[in-house]
Amino acid sequence: MAGFDTLRWRDGHLELIDQRLLPGECRYLACDSAKAVAEAIRGMAVRGAPAIGCAAAYGVALEAHRLRSAGPEKFESGLERAFQLLAGSRPTAANLFWALDRMRRNRDGRRDGDPKAIAAGLLKEAHAILQEDVRLNRRMGEHGAALLDDGMQVLTHCNAGALATAGHGTALGVIRSAVAAGKSISVVVDETRPFLQGARLTAWELAQDGIPVTLIADSAAGHFMRRGEIDAVIVGADRVAANGDVANKIGTYTVAVLAQRHSVPFYVACPLSTIDLGVASGADIPIEERGAEEVTGYRDVRWAPAEVTARNPVFDVTPAALVTALVTEKGVINAPDRNKIMALFQ
Amino acid sequence: MAGFDTLRWRDGHLELIDQRLLPGECRYLACDSAKAVAEAIRGMAVRGAPAIGCAAAYGVALEAHRLRSAGPEKFESGLERAFQLLAGSRPTAANLFWALDRMRRNRDGRRDGDPKAIAAGLLKEAHAILQEDVRLNRRMGEHGAALLDDGMQVLTHCNAGALATAGHGTALGVIRSAVAAGKSISVVVDETRPFLQGARLTAWELAQDGIPVTLIADSAAGHFMRRGEIDAVIVGADRVAANGDVANKIGTYTVAVLAQRHSVPFYVACPLSTIDLGVASGADIPIEERGAEEVTGYRDVRWAPAEVTARNPVFDVTPAALVTALVTEKGVINAPDRNKIMALFQ
């Protein structure tokens, strides 16, 4: 288990590790409204599909708590605005919409209750979502650990770790569980430009756990695969379509293409809450494009010429045909397709 | 023609644009000895295989000039040390060794001459290498321009431009020549971590020429190819083996694999001086690995945890089978192989 809480409920506030500051500083950001949570999501203080889902659930709960004494009308309209604000914070991660749907169902189940009871119910639901996420990650880890053999060197892209979830992690959860089972696993991590989740977050959390990690430039993954130095790839997902296509951090598709060429298994670890049966294929998943300034430099440093145009799609789609297996809390799904995915939900 | 000289001879010195400072500052670094030139090459003030070759030639000429009155023995041993120092500055670029061989042959052709005559001959030879490089780039450009159609969007990786040569450029030379021929070409450039030659150098020199350029993260190339937004790829080379395997900036192999998957032509522009008949295949090309600090941050900024290990191979090998065509000063070689390459040298 990672030695930190990515999100936690403290004294009526949601506290999030501000991941923009890692690894230099591990500081919690306190949020006391849906607006503050939506800003934390949009600004990437919290990121990673499952963590975004948890944060959004707390965003709804916070708003209900804040408005619980404002009268039924204000409560109702304020809560509705909170749902909309949070749903608009980022477009790609399925867990955001999944968590908001679940919170909405919880509220709808108490439509005639008073605001205080609704607020209490919503907070309980947010806690449940967070606790379940850790439990599901551990279950995924146990299923996925069987895919990793002792002595393997595993490549990962971006951060699908404890920091991307409520704890343990999806892709890194599988690695953690394999290590906990006594296997010696070393990790190669792509730095993951432009936001550097690999260099900043994955390197940091694996180092904390004493799991050997080697950082490489994104464009070096092919070189190491060609040299036979990568035994498996495991990544997380932001949204999986009903046919098994995977939207994940920009560059994931490239890693999958390279893995196929080199006969390296390519695994995607994600809870069912990341699978969106409402999108038939990856072509229907909205791909967020963020500001050019993330590509023309990093934080306050600019290295590209001032006048240059940049494009910054932050996710890409890996077709299901490139996915060796999906690792879910219900087990490992080899060569995922529509039928196998539908069966998961029955 | 680009509006700057990457290298120039001024008042008995070699002046190089210090490419570590671009695009923020365009400042010339003056070198007055082989040691200074070797340091400029090793420290990447000058980079790009043809530019490294030119710089090394001047490094020999400078040393000969410096020692021309020191007596024949000191001259001879000093010159030999200069050859060794320069040959050890970087291991991958073929042009470095090609230029040093040519300078050595020039000196050997005058073994009985006096140091001053040898020094004068070596300087003349360095000038000839530089002038030839520009001429060959223009010829390559003319041959290669026929491969690019009006309206194409072309992806390039790293910088194979005027800054990587004595002028005009190899890959960017082809683009410049196509534009000069009246074609509308737009360029997508990978930022090219860790040294950011794409973001800093290619974006800068294309913007100066008014050629539309869009910067992307290295890992976004696959996304844009998958969307059909890339019509061709053109890159330079640091060394081409006798069988057509291409060593070039780390990440080139990945781009070539993606191009093949998406049926996008993958062109490599390089003069014959980059082709090393002494290496049978890419497996025999030494791949330089530079310091971890290039990957754990950029310049003075560190973003990875202090304790993290990083690997930094700065070149990779693209097998000839992935190369649609080589563009050389002798013409376009489709599907390069050993026979076609040997024929180029006859």
Side-chain angles (χ1 to χ4, degrees):
Chain A
M1 188 69 191
F4 54 83
D5 292 318
T6 302
L7 326 88
R8 64 189 185 198
W9 183 255
R10 280 278 191 290
D11 309 322
H13 293 77
L14 174 66
E15 292 188 352
L16 309 160
I17 294 183
D18 188 343
Q19 300 190 28
R20 296 167 297 194
L21 307 179
L22 286 173
E25 201 180 339
C26 183
R27 191 204 296 169
Y28 281 87
L29 178 72
C31 299
D32 61 359
S33 67
K35 184 160 175 274
V37 174
E39 278 168 10
I41 294 171
R42 186 177 298 112
M44 293 176 73
V46 61
R47 29 64 51 200
I52 288 173
C54 292
Y58 278 109
V60 171
L62 274 168
E63 201 64 16
H65 186 71
R66 214 167 68 86
L67 299 175
R68 70 193 183 284
S69 308
E73 264 181 47
K74 269 205 165 168
F75 179 81
E76 208 47 48
S77 65
L79 206 55
E80 189 50 42
R81 268 199 307 279
F83 275 110
Q84 286 171 15
L85 195 62
L86 289 159
S89 61
R90 290 192 73 190
T92 305
N95 305 58
L96 171 63
F97 308 102
W98 170 88
L100 291 175
D101 280 352
R102 191 163 149 179
M103 295 299 279
R104 194 181 280 277
R105 280 198 306 277
N106 184 281
R107 186 205 63 178
D108 289 352
R110 300 173 199 247
R111 185 154 292 281
D112 297 327
D114 77 315
K116 278 177 191 158
I118 292 175
L122 287 171
L123 180 58
K124 206 173 150 195
E125 189 72 354
H127 289 330
I129 287 173
L130 180 130
Q131 285 152 9
E132 275 174 39
D133 189 58
V134 180
R135 248 192 338 265
L136 298 183
N137 284 335
R138 294 192 162 276
R139 214 173 298 154
M140 250 186 286
E142 281 156 27
H143 293 306
L147 299 170
L148 303 184
D149 297 333
D150 186 42
M152 271 192 173
Q153 178 141 278
V154 179
L155 178 84
T156 190
H157 186 75
C158 196
N159 174 271
L163 287 167
T165 62
H168 199 62
T170 54
L172 299 191
V174 170
I175 291 168
R176 282 196 168 94
S177 294
V179 169
K183 294 175 189 173
S184 164
I185 305 287
S186 58
V187 176
V188 172
V189 61
D190 288 343
E191 64 175 359
T192 320
R193 278 282 295 153
F195 206 65
L196 298 164
Q197 291 93 334
R200 297 190 301 110
L201 309 180
T202 295
W204 181 77
E205 66 167 273
L206 291 179
Q208 294 227 332
D209 277 12
I211 297 173
V213 56
T214 301
L215 176 64
I216 62 171
D218 298 319
S219 61
H223 174 77
F224 288 109
M225 282 199 215
R226 193 156 183 267
R227 296 208 163 188
E229 296 187 33
I230 306 296
D231 302 307
V233 175
I234 187 160
V235 297
D238 288 83
R239 192 185 308 203
V240 176
N243 71 343
D245 290 353
V246 174
N248 191 46
K249 180 55 50 200
I250 190 76
T252 302
Y253 169 61
T254 293
V255 173
V257 168
L258 289 165
Q260 186 193 46
R261 179 176 172 94
H262 294 285
S263 303
V264 171
F266 180 84
Y267 302 121
V268 176
C270 66
L272 265 56
S273 51
T274 301
I275 302 176
D276 181 357
L277 298 181
V279 293
S281 80
D284 301 324
I285 300 176
I287 299 296
E288 178 181 12
E289 188 146 348
R290 295 181 66 88
E293 73 286 354
E294 290 184 0
V295 179
T296 55
Y298 177 69
R299 286 190 184 162
D300 298 335
V301 187
R302 295 268 76 74
W303 49 61
E307 66 276 20
V308 79
T309 303
R311 292 281 306 272
N312 186 20
V314 297
F315 302 101
D316 60 23
V317 173
T318 299
L322 295 178
V323 178
T324 309
L326 278 186
V327 181
T328 76
E329 67 270 30
K330 290 210 178 169
V332 172
I333 316 303
N334 290 308
D337 62 19
R338 189 173 167 80
N339 288 339
K340 292 178 189 172
I341 285 174
M342 295 310 283
L344 276 178
F345 287 85
Q346 269 140 27
Chain B
M1 188 68 192
F4 53 83
D5 292 318
T6 302
L7 327 87
R8 65 189 184 197
W9 184 256
R10 279 279 190 291
D11 309 324
H13 292 77
L14 174 66
E15 291 188 353
L16 308 160
I17 294 183
D18 188 341
Q19 301 190 28
R20 296 167 297 195
L21 308 179
L22 286 173
E25 202 180 338
C26 184
R27 192 205 295 169
Y28 281 87
L29 179 73
C31 299
D32 61 359
S33 68
K35 183 160 176 279
V37 173
E39 278 169 9
I41 295 172
R42 186 176 298 111
M44 293 177 73
V46 60
R47 29 64 52 199
I52 288 173
C54 291
Y58 277 108
V60 172
L62 274 168
E63 201 63 17
H65 186 71
R66 213 167 68 84
L67 298 175
R68 71 193 183 284
S69 308
E73 264 180 48
K74 270 205 163 170
F75 179 81
E76 206 48 47
S77 64
L79 206 55
E80 188 51 40
R81 269 200 307 279
F83 275 110
Q84 285 171 18
L85 193 62
L86 288 160
S89 60
R90 291 192 72 190
T92 305
N95 306 59
L96 172 63
F97 308 102
W98 170 88
L100 292 174
D101 280 352
R102 190 163 151 180
M103 295 299 278
R104 195 181 279 277
R105 281 199 306 277
N106 184 281
R107 186 204 63 179
D108 289 352
R110 298 170 200 249
R111 185 152 293 282
D112 298 326
D114 78 315
K116 279 178 190 156
I118 292 174
L122 288 171
L123 181 58
K124 206 172 148 196
E125 189 72 353
H127 288 330
I129 288 173
L130 180 131
Q131 285 152 11
E132 274 174 41
D133 189 57
V134 181
R135 248 192 339 265
L136 298 183
N137 285 336
R138 294 193 162 276
R139 214 172 299 154
M140 249 185 286
E142 281 155 28
H143 292 308
L147 300 170
L148 303 184
D149 297 332
D150 187 41
M152 270 191 174
Q153 178 140 278
V154 179
L155 178 84
T156 191
H157 186 75
C158 195
N159 174 270
L163 287 167
T165 62
H168 198 63
T170 54
L172 298 193
V174 169
I175 290 167
R176 282 196 167 94
S177 294
V179 169
K183 294 174 189 172
S184 164
I185 304 288
S186 57
V187 176
V188 172
V189 61
D190 289 342
E191 64 175 359
T192 319
R193 278 282 295 154
F195 206 65
L196 297 164
Q197 290 94 334
R200 296 190 301 111
L201 309 180
T202 296
W204 182 76
E205 67 167 272
L206 291 180
Q208 294 228 331
D209 277 12
I211 298 173
V213 56
T214 302
L215 176 65
I216 62 171
D218 297 320
S219 60
H223 173 77
F224 288 108
M225 280 198 216
R226 193 156 183 268
R227 296 210 163 186
E229 296 188 32
I230 306 295
D231 302 306
V233 175
I234 186 159
V235 297
D238 288 84
R239 193 184 308 203
V240 175
N243 71 341
D245 290 353
V246 174
N248 191 46
K249 181 54 51 198
I250 190 75
T252 302
Y253 169 61
T254 293
V255 173
V257 168
L258 290 166
Q260 187 192 48
R261 180 176 171 93
H262 294 286
S263 304
V264 170
F266 180 85
Y267 302 121
V268 176
C270 67
L272 264 58
S273 51
T274 301
I275 303 175
D276 181 356
L277 298 181
V279 294
S281 81
D284 301 325
I285 299 176
I287 299 296
E288 178 181 12
E289 189 146 347
R290 295 180 67 88
E293 74 285 356
E294 290 184 0
V295 179
T296 55
Y298 178 68
R299 287 191 184 161
D300 297 336
V301 187
R302 296 267 76 73
W303 49 61
E307 66 276 20
V308 80
T309 302
R311 293 281 306 274
N312 185 20
V314 297
F315 303 101
D316 60 23
V317 173
T318 299
L322 295 178
V323 179
T324 309
L326 278 186
V327 180
T328 75
E329 68 269 31
K330 290 209 178 169
V332 173
I333 317 303
N334 290 307
D337 62 17
R338 189 174 168 80
N339 287 339
K340 291 178 188 171
I341 285 174
M342 295 309 284
L344 276 179
F345 286 86
Q346 269 138 28

